[in-house]
Amino acid sequence: MFSLGSWLPALPGLAWGWALLDALLRGESPRGWHGGGLGTSRGTPVTRCCLFPAGLVGACAVSVLCSLLKVYLYIQCLNNPERQAEKEAIRAQWWVLEPLHVVVLTGVLALVGSRVAALVVLEFSLRAVSTILSLGKGAHSSQLYLLCQYSLGCGVSCGLSFLLEGAPHGTCNLALAAGLAGLLATYAQRLARHVCTLYELHSRARYCGICILLLASGHGIPQLLRNALAVTFTVADLAAVALINRDFLSTAEAVRFWTPLTICYTLLVIYMQEEPRRSAGGWPVYQTVLVRMGGLFILLLTVGRWMDILHILVSLLGELWCLLRAGVMLEACRRQ
């Protein structure tokens, strides 16, 4: 009823084009596209991908996260006389780059297949649990929020891809989700811009409702983000496991995939827990990204598909893009 083809004139020569466009908007791969595996002779149909609508929702989720965290860090730096330089650095960020970041991240998430996105989500979830357990040893949760940017985008894409699989009106659902996510991201960016521009004045004059609310309860932003991310990654983890397991025909085949994956993830977590203690500065953040993606790259060379290798390289670019864009806030979190 709500497919694009039902709203447009019946043109036999364009029927396939309408079906293709509708499939892309749903986040599906067109029928007949198959991916061959590395080390396997059969081709497995890839029925869903993290394409444009799901990627846009994921990018908007990352934008909301960064905007709220920017508000929190700016207020914390403003209240500390020793962190005025960090406050000015956060304020000096170019606001015009915010829409560009959403566009680039949307393209990256649209290119990454659901299989690799699921692996990224599971890897971060394991790393997050390990980091949270070590918070008493000096780890900072604010930095973890910034490190989860790309994984959050992949998690939202995976969740939508799984929840809308087989939905009768998937196109309209994705369009509605993208519209609401874009609206929320826009207002979050406006809030961050307002705070960085006028919060210092309004918090003293006490006549701006938004700034008064932040003055009274701005310290609760990390708790809000923690609860939202916990729900998001719980759903994303369940969706990721389901998306990966649907490609296996037998339990033995699943075991051959999950066993090396578990070993790889365990070694990555151990490495990332020890490396920050041996190094100082911001470079270990980028170094761990290279190690993580390198480990997944080697793993998928043996148990993955050829397209997975390309998607890992795209994921590396996405991770680096998110970290470079949040470099000022990462430095503020590191000095906190």
Side-chain angles (χ1 to χ4, degrees):
M1 175 180 177
F2 290 97
S3 64
L4 289 176
S6 64
W7 292 3
L8 298 171
L11 301 176
L14 298 178
W16 185 86
W18 301 137
L20 174 61
L21 180 58
D22 189 58
L24 293 177
L25 289 176
R26 286 174 177 266
E28 302 174 356
S29 292
R31 294 180 181 179
W33 291 14
H34 301 277
L38 293 176
T40 178
S41 58
R42 65 181 178 85
T44 304
V46 183
T47 56
R48 297 294 188 275
C49 293
C50 299
L51 295 176
F52 179 77
L56 177 59
V57 177
C60 290
V62 174
S63 178
V64 171
L65 171 69
C66 291
S67 296
L68 292 180
L69 196 57
K70 182 180 295 184
V71 169
Y72 172 73
L73 290 175
Y74 182 85
I75 294 176
Q76 293 297 309
C77 293
L78 181 64
N79 295 332
N80 189 343
E82 298 179 357
R83 303 181 64 186
Q84 297 305 303
E86 299 171 32
K87 180 202 73 174
E88 294 300 328
I90 294 175
R91 175 188 286 179
Q93 287 184 301
W94 290 4
W95 299 103
V96 71
L97 295 180
E98 295 290 340
L100 176 62
H101 174 72
V102 174
V103 171
V104 172
L105 191 55
T106 299
V108 171
L109 294 174
L111 291 175
V112 175
S114 58
R115 184 181 175 95
V116 171
L119 293 176
V120 172
V121 170
L122 293 176
E123 185 272 332
F124 175 79
S125 299
L126 182 62
R127 180 160 46 106
V129 170
S130 175
T131 302
I132 291 173
L133 293 177
S134 65
L135 282 177
K137 301 177 182 179
H140 297 292
S141 59
S142 297
Q143 186 174 8
L144 184 63
Y145 297 148
L146 290 172
L147 296 179
C148 81
Q149 291 180 77
Y150 182 73
S151 301
L152 173 62
C154 289
V156 173
S157 297
C158 279
L160 285 175
S161 179
F162 175 72
L163 294 174
L164 295 180
E165 185 171 1
H169 308 305
T171 302
C172 290
N173 291 335
L174 281 171
L176 178 61
L180 292 176
L183 187 64
L184 186 60
T186 299
Y187 278 102
Q189 290 177 8
R190 289 182 180 178
L191 174 63
R193 189 179 300 113
H194 175 83
V195 169
C196 291
T197 305
L198 298 172
Y199 177 81
E200 188 172 3
L201 174 63
H202 288 176
S203 60
R204 295 174 182 174
R206 303 293 180 92
Y207 63 82
C208 174
I210 295 177
C211 294
I212 292 176
L213 178 62
L214 290 174
L215 183 64
S217 57
H219 61 275
I221 291 178
Q223 180 68 33
L224 173 66
L225 293 177
R226 181 161 53 248
N227 294 337
L229 290 174
V231 173
T232 302
F233 277 102
T234 299
V235 175
D237 289 338
L238 296 175
V241 173
L243 289 172
I244 293 175
N245 283 337
R246 72 182 179 186
D247 293 332
F248 303 128
L249 297 178
S250 64
T251 304
E253 187 177 355
V255 170
R256 284 196 298 269
F257 179 85
W258 284 107
T259 300
L261 181 67
T262 303
I263 296 174
C264 177
Y265 281 177
T266 302
L267 294 176
L268 286 175
V269 168
I270 294 174
Y271 171 81
M272 285 179 287
Q273 288 296 321
E274 295 297 331
E275 182 61 23
R277 302 171 187 174
R278 297 192 299 263
S279 304
W283 169 244
V285 173
Y286 301 97
Q287 186 175 359
T288 53
V289 170
L290 297 176
V291 172
R292 286 168 40 223
M293 291 301 170
L296 291 179
F297 182 85
I298 296 174
L299 175 67
L300 292 176
L301 279 176
T302 58
V303 296
R305 302 192 183 104
W306 290 112
M307 285 303 298
D308 292 339
I309 307 303
L310 176 61
H311 292 160
I312 283 291
L313 298 178
V314 175
S315 294
L316 175 61
L317 296 178
E319 285 271 16
L320 293 177
W321 172 261
C322 290
L323 292 178
L324 287 172
R325 180 244 185 182
V328 174
M329 291 190 290
L330 276 173
E331 184 65 19
C333 290
R334 190 181 67 82
R335 294 181 179 180
Q336 188 174 9

